[in-house]
Amino acid sequence: MDRDVKMGHWNHRVMRRTYISGGVEEVIDSIHEVYYDDNSAVKGWTDDACTPSFYPNEDDDQTGILDDIKRFERATTMPILDYETGKEITDESID
């Protein structure tokens, strides 16, 4: 992610990444934090997939780890993004 990008907002999104492992193509969908500019254009995402977390001493809107899991669930209702480009993958759904 470009660390100089002015962030408008972020959310969790499913991103599809392709690996070559032992000469075999592997495709994996995982959840990442995706960052948007003020016009809601994708500007960056976390290198690694996210795991649910909860910080009890933080002053935010979370009341427990279930809040983060619900954000992950919402990510599955949005179009999948390509990990290399950040663009939506069309005609795909999560089963």
Side-chain angles (χ1 to χ4, degrees):
M1 182 176 93
D2 182 353
R3 303 290 178 205
D4 296 325
V5 170
K6 180 180 173 190
M7 186 175 77
H9 65 280
W10 70 275
N11 63 6
H12 289 113
R13 295 291 296 269
V14 176
M15 299 194 85
R16 180 163 293 160
R17 191 172 192 176
T18 303
Y19 297 91
I20 303 296
S21 177
V24 177
E25 183 176 278
E26 303 264 346
V27 178
I28 186 168
D29 290 349
S30 53
I31 295 178
H32 292 259
E33 290 179 3
V34 174
Y35 304 92
Y36 304 86
D37 65 15
D38 290 332
N39 297 314
S40 295
V42 172
K43 289 299 176 188
W45 49 90
T46 53
D47 291 331
D48 298 319
C50 299
T51 59
S53 57
F54 172 61
Y55 299 91
N57 295 329
E58 296 242 345
D59 186 22
D60 60 17
D61 63 343
Q62 283 189 311
T63 58
I65 198 164
L66 189 55
D67 291 331
D68 214 28
I69 293 169
K70 288 176 184 176
R71 288 187 186 110
F72 280 33
E73 185 178 22
R74 275 193 301 275
T76 67
T77 67
M78 296 181 272
I80 297 170
L81 301 178
D82 179 78
Y83 180 85
E84 297 302 320
T85 65
K87 296 181 189 282
E88 289 184 4
I89 296 174
T90 57
D91 298 320
E92 293 288 337
S93 64
I94 299 174
D95 296 320

